Amino acid sequence: MTTETRKFEAEVAQVLHLVTHSLYSHKEIFLRELISNASDACDKLRFEAIGKPGLLDGDSELHIDVSWDETARTITVRDNGIGMTRDEVVANIGTIASSGTRRFLEAMSGEQKADARLIGQFGVGFYSSFVVADKVTVLTRRADAPVGEGVKWESDGKGEYALEQVELAGRGTSVTLHLKADEDEFLKAWQLKSLIRKYSDHVAFPIRMPKEEDGKPTAEWETVNDASALWTKPKSEISDEDYQSFYKSLGHDFNDALAWTHNRVEGSQSFTTLLYIPAQPPFDLMMGGRDERKGLKLYIKRVFIMDAAEELLPNYLRFVRGVVDADDLPLNVSREILQHNRQLERIKAACVKRVLDLIEKLAKDEPEKFAIFCKAFGNTLKEGISEDATNRERIAKLLRFASTKGEGAQQTVSLDDYIGRMAVGQDAIWFITADSYAAAAGSPQLEAFRAKGIEVLLMFDRIDEWMVGYLGEYEGKKLRNVAKGELPLDEAEKKQQEETAKEAEPLLKKLKELLGDRVGDVKVSARLTDSPSCLALNDYDMAPHLARLLREAGQDLPESKPTLEINPQHALLKRVESEADEAKAKDLATLLLEQAEIAVGAQLPDPAAFVQRMNRVLLGT
């Protein structure tokens, strides 16, 4: 048979370089990843065999074998699963299709060089073999391929791989690692067994190793893992350690899960759910990868069907990992059928309920864990305000914000906390959005609220402005932005406001003339007590900081002219009022507008002109 030599795709070469040079801790990850791949191959065969029973002929007991050879210095992981064709070998090993790979590379090149947690989350787990091996040999034959269409793949991980067509009697895949000189620890049977039990004990297929006699492997095999579907056991028989071990193999995570919920539903529709909340964001979520979710694994009667995040959980809960095992969905179900399946809709609703129940339990009983959750996934949960109208109130109850009566930038104040502190007669939940805590807390638009002792929620995450547009109200209280619309005033305040506005009419007229089409209007402010000016928005105007971000992202937004609100008692306004030199008065008026724009995160139309104007005013020229 002729051997063909090919170069790795550029990104694969980069992954290999980083994996082999950076993952100096947690080297043992390679075994977990190879066993995980083997388990997936067995799952896929079992699924395909539902429609094609002949695929299992003569070898129906699916298993994974791990063997070692001290003399040859090799470890081999073999499965009798689905196997691969030549084209599949090239697609799965010679290239990486995942769009997340580039983000993986960026992260591994940056601060997280040695973070093995990232391996496996992008389908690059196979390459962790090269952490301990200087050569890897793969032999594989797809279950429905003739004996003569086996494939041999071999590489030293340095840029090229060799492909050869070979005869293979059995279906499935074997991966043989030729260990580097300093990796002898992995040639010990006890070490391999220990790693299998640590990372792969609850893989639902038997993982076998040769029995030993006098320290030497024999031809007889023994199962070294639990080999049972953890979720099918009674909860009373499962320890926390078992749950955590299963989570780590399921979620490709070295860290413990933050919390989990395990439930069996009996009745006209029976199913089991085992759902985990990670302690920190999966890497794809952290980088904003809504389209790279791993999601929940769907099983039907313990037969793996698919990773079905879109069908089993909504987007805003994409950080959840776990398993759903249904009893009465058709085994030949396809992704298209799933999308229109009423039974699955009920399972999805149950999963959402279980996850929200679990988060609520953390909020009530384990505040430290809930704080970890909020830091990791609080912003992701906010997406549910728009995506899940049914559970909007439940989700809103779980959100936390900073506040003018909170602990600095700490986002610990709930909407219920806020309502519990509302003054008698207050009918709205007041908030402000900005692009940082400092900008929100220092906004001049808060001055009147502080003077009256009215609490304001400080929202400074990018999603907040968009999120509150969908929330509208909570527990019968409207959410109102302090920067939008008219402020509620009592009769005495209204009268005072009208008198001040009447007295300031000449000043307002002068400012409108000086600013021209830079503003939509100039008004006396009810918001200001100390600052000279601020911007006010109409109820449906977009916050300037958000408009700036969208424009920077290439969005074409219509221009809107702000309303400038002024504090006529301020010395700067007095100075504008008395300034006879029109050029100097225009500089002062424009600076009042521009400082108000800066305070709300708007983009100045001409920063250079702003600097020159500021210099003229400072120099008095």
Side-chain angles (χ1 to χ4, degrees), residues 217-239:
T218 67
E220 190 179 349
W221 296 90
E222 63 175 340
T223 299
V224 296
N225 70 320
D226 188 14
S228 65
L230 180 83
W231 61 89
T232 62
K233 294 181 176 181
K235 286 193 274 189
S236 58
E237 295 178 15
I238 310 173
S239 68

Side-chain angles (χ1 to χ4, degrees), residues 2-14:
T2 57
T3 301
E4 179 188 359
T5 301
R6 294 188 176 199
K7 285 190 179 297
F8 282 117
E9 187 187 60
E11 285 185 340
V12 175
Q14 286 178 273

Side-chain angles (χ1 to χ4, degrees), residues 125-194:
F126 169 80
Y127 304 110
S128 61
S129 303
F130 289 99
V131 175
V132 296
D134 50 23
K135 184 169 76 170
V136 177
T137 305
V138 178
L139 294 170
T140 185
R141 176 168 71 80
R142 207 176 193 285
D144 52 4
V147 170
E149 291 188 13
V151 181
K152 179 181 179 182
W153 179 99
E154 194 166 73
S155 177
D156 61 4
K158 293 178 180 173
E160 294 181 337
Y161 61 92
L163 273 177
E164 185 180 350
Q165 187 171 321
V166 295
E167 285 195 11
L168 291 176
R171 66 163 191 266
T173 301
S174 71
V175 181
T176 299
L177 312 186
H178 304 262
L179 296 186
K180 296 176 181 176
D182 54 351
E183 303 299 347
D184 289 358
E185 63 178 296
F186 298 113
L187 291 171
K188 305 287 189 253
W190 65 267
Q191 172 74 325
L192 294 173
K193 283 181 186 175
S194 171

Side-chain angles (χ1 to χ4, degrees), residues 590-591 594-595 598 604 606-615:
T590 308
L591 284 175
E594 288 173 334
Q595 70 175 5
I598 291 170
L604 294 181
D606 189 347
F610 164 74
V611 173
Q612 292 165 1
R613 197 159 25 250
M614 179 68 77
N615 290 341

Side-chain angles (χ1 to χ4, degrees), residues 42 52 83 135 143 166 171 249 260 294 297 313 317 331 339 366 374 389 428 459 495 516 536 541 581 587 593 611 619:
C42 291
K52 300 178 185 176
K135 184 169 76 170
V166 295
R171 66 163 191 266
S249 66
W260 61 86
K294 300 292 189 230
K297 288 182 179 290
L313 276 179
L317 296 178
L331 274 173
Q339 288 170 348
E366 301 185 78
C374 288
M459 301 184 183
K495 190 174 180 182
D541 283 349
D581 186 318
D587 275 349
L593 171 62
V611 173
L619 292 170

Side-chain angles (χ1 to χ4, degrees), residues 79-90:
D79 67 74
N80 60 345
I82 192 68
M84 291 181 282
T85 64
R86 180 189 181 93
D87 288 345
E88 286 171 334
V89 169
V90 172

